[in-house]
């Protein structure tokens, strides 16, 4: 018998259900993980332009790896870096890429294992064995730095980890449901939290996110999931939120 029940005669009450209405202050599209899927990104951008040409476009991160066109995706987004309508967040795959560039000998193997070879290929860098180490990783990082350019690397390193409007915050991976958003660790926002998908928040704040692939985009229990695994499924999804509505768009 659980200790609480032995001491007090009954089980503790379940946590309260999340029932706060979604109330962003402005219309916005929240776009799932791109992972080098250029065609789907272009198709979805055309749909968003038709649906609401004035709404913000919030990209949740993971622009690189796994798909075949990481370079083209990055170039497309970078070209609009000064456009106030476009907000790009930083995901864990951007983290892995940047760590590889900084410490290739120690961080390169993990990045390559999780899709880095696809990014290298998009920059014309090939012939790198998946189990590369040491000098090969150092040489590869130097080639990639030259191919990307310091301007693009700096841009990736300065991307924000959150965007907030009303009671909606967009992040890449998740948030600790026990902490207010102002106290979240950046590592959690980019890599996730073990309680995020199972424990509703108690502050009425919605979290929109990518990172975790879902069969279909969903909005429930204060979470909006938009990563439909474009690199594997061919389907890229965006949530369109307004102060009174929510719907999903998909390209594939």
């Amino acid at each position: 018998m659980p200790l609480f029940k032995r001491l007090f005669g009954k089980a503790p009450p379940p946590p309260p259900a999340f029932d706060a209405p979604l109330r962003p202050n402005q219309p916005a599209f929240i776009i799932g993980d791109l992972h080098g899927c250029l065609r789907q990104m272009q198709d979805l951008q055309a749909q968003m332009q038709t649906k609401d040409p004035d709404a913000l476009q919030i990209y949740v991160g993971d622009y690189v790896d796994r798909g075949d066109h990481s370079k083209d995706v990055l170039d497309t987004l970078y070209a609009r870096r000064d456009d106030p309508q476009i907000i790009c967040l930083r995901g864990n795959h951007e983290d892995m890429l940047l760590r590889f560039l900084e410490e290739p000998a120690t961080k390169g193997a993990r990045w390559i294992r999780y899709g880095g070879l696809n990014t290298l290929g998009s920059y014309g860098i090939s012939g790198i064995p998946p189990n590369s180490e040491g000098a090969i990783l150092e040489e590869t990082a130097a080639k990639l730095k030259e191919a990307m350019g310091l301007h693009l690397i700096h841009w990736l390193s300065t991307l924000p980890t959150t965007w907030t409007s009303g009671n909606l915050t967009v992040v890449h991976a998740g948030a600790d449901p026990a902490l207010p958003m102002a106290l979240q660790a950046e590592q959690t926002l980019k890599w996730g939290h073990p309680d995020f998908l199972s424990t509703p928040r108690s502050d009425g704040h919605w979290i929109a996110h990518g990172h975790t692939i879902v069969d279909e985009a969903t909005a429930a229990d204060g979470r909006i999931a938009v990563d439909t695994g474009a690199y594997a499924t061919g389907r890229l999804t965006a949530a369109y939120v307004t102060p009174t509505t929510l719907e999903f768009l998909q390209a594939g």
Side-chain angles (χ1 to χ4, degrees), residues 95-109:
D95 255 13
M96 286 192 286
L97 167 59
L98 292 168
R99 290 174 184 176
F100 164 67
L101 294 174
E102 292 170 358
E103 304 175 61
T106 57
K107 305 298 184 182

Side-chain angles (χ1 to χ4, degrees), residues 113-181:
R113 188 166 63 248
Y114 286 100
L117 285 177
N118 301 82
T119 297
L120 291 171
S122 75
Y123 280 94
I125 302 171
S126 59
I128 312 300
N131 59 349
S132 296
E133 56 185 37
I136 294 178
L137 293 175
E138 298 277 359
E139 294 168 6
T140 302
K143 291 179 182 178
L144 184 57
K145 281 182 181 178
E146 182 177 0
M148 292 180 67
L150 294 180
H151 60 288
L152 184 56
I153 295 169
H154 175 73
W155 177 71
L156 286 175
S157 70
T158 57
L159 293 180
T161 53
T162 64
W163 176 84
T164 297
S165 179
N167 71 337
L168 169 67
T169 292
V170 184
V171 304
H172 174 66
D176 183 345
L179 292 177
M181 292 309 298

Side-chain angles (χ1 to χ4, degrees), residues 61-246:
D62 279 11
Y63 313 115
V64 299
D65 304 342
R66 293 180 169 158
D68 292 331
H69 300 284
S70 293
K71 178 185 184 301
D72 295 327
V73 166
L74 288 178
D75 287 347
T76 300
L77 294 174
Y78 180 78
R80 298 187 66 181
R81 64 193 180 280
D82 295 324
D83 186 341
Q85 190 178 5
I86 304 293
I87 297 173
C88 294
L89 303 182
R90 183 167 159 181
N92 65 304
H93 279 260
E94 283 73 58
D95 255 13
M96 286 192 286
L97 167 59
L98 292 168
R99 290 174 184 176
F100 164 67
L101 294 174
E102 292 170 358
E103 304 175 61
T106 57
K107 305 298 184 182
R110 183 185 190 191
W111 177 62
I112 286 177
R113 188 166 63 248
Y114 286 100
L117 285 177
N118 301 82
T119 297
L120 291 171
S122 75
Y123 280 94
I125 302 171
S126 59
I128 312 300
N131 59 349
S132 296
E133 56 185 37
I136 294 178
L137 293 175
E138 298 277 359
E139 294 168 6
T140 302
K143 291 179 182 178
L144 184 57
K145 281 182 181 178
E146 182 177 0
M148 292 180 67
L150 294 180
H151 60 288
L152 184 56
I153 295 169
H154 175 73
W155 177 71
L156 286 175
S157 70
T158 57
L159 293 180
T161 53
T162 64
W163 176 84
T164 297
S165 179
N167 71 337
L168 169 67
T169 292
V170 184
V171 304
H172 174 66
D176 183 345
L179 292 177
M181 292 309 298
L183 297 181
Q184 299 288 327
E186 286 207 347
Q187 182 79 355
T188 298
L189 301 173
K190 292 179 289 189
W191 289 84
H193 189 276
D195 297 332
F196 173 63
L197 296 177
S198 59
T199 304
R201 299 186 66 82
S202 59
D203 59 1
H205 205 89
W206 283 75
I207 308 295
H209 67 98
H211 188 67
T212 301
I213 295 177
V214 293
D215 291 333
E216 298 292 340
T218 59
D221 297 325
R223 295 179 289 267
I224 303 172
V226 294
D227 181 10
T228 48
Y231 75 93
T233 66
R235 295 182 289 113
L236 178 66
T237 300
Y240 175 57
V241 298
T242 77
T244 58
T245 62
L246 182 152

